[in-house]
Amino acid sequence: MGKGPCWSAFSPARIIEEKIIMKSEDGYLKVPCNWDEKQIEGFTRINERSDVALPIKEIYGALPRDPLGTGRPESLTYAADTGKAETYIELAHKAGFRFNFLFNAIVTEGREFEPQVWAALRAKLQWLADLRVEWVTVANQPLLERIKKNFPNFKVSTSVNSEINEVNRVVDYDWAGADRIAVDYLVGRNFSLIKAMRAATRKPLELLVNEPCLVHCTNRLYHQATFCRGSREGATGGRGMNYKSD
């Protein structure tokens, strides 16, 4: 069947303090970046420790603004421009880490099929290809298929925002060409379902180990939709969560 799982972490700070106990022959960690070059040195030191059960092999991140938006608003994304990102990715590669760039907005309004937006997105993908970025992450199947068609050298992963919480959804994304399948955050401890998903595909599965959202959060979709707009190039509003009442 597929290779060992990829365990992704949400917080770059918590991953340094938490010890992952479960071991896997081929398993590894995918961790978020803050675009600080010193962070790469920290990840390298973690991998050198004798008590590390799962090594860090992949780093993921996104810029504050994107043609389609991402899963985090500008206000919750570490500030960086393309120059800073280029330097970080180059250093990450030199240190032996793969890089995964996020296009994980759950609400795109079909903008990826508008010529002007697709041209901007295609230019960004070409920029990443020139940087030898290995992975990109998407949250919907049409975008996955379009990236695989136009940039076949990219490995494409689904997102936890894709809500892959049933075996048939695993099969659908496998058929669409996903190179790795990130399961829904609620699936992480449903071991019987994970076993069924594992049996349904030869693609690696990815599980999120420290989801910050409440279990069955009633505002999850609302937040994700707001975040997409808050990280979209040219958009106003939707910069984050603000529960202050007027």
Side-chain angles (χ1 to χ4, degrees), residues 50-62:
S50 60
D51 62 342
V52 170
L54 293 172
I56 297 169
K57 293 187 178 181
E58 189 173 325
I59 304 172
Y60 68 91

Side-chain angles (χ1 to χ4, degrees), residues 96 140 154 203 205:
N140 68 71
F154 278 130
K203 304 294 178 61
L205 299 180

Side-chain angles (χ1 to χ4, degrees), residues 195-214:
K195 184 177 180 179
M197 289 176 167
R198 175 69 286 154
T201 180
R202 298 182 65 87
K203 304 294 178 61
L205 299 180
E206 177 181 339
L207 292 86
L208 183 60
V209 299
N210 56 350
E211 166 64 48
C213 288
L214 298 173

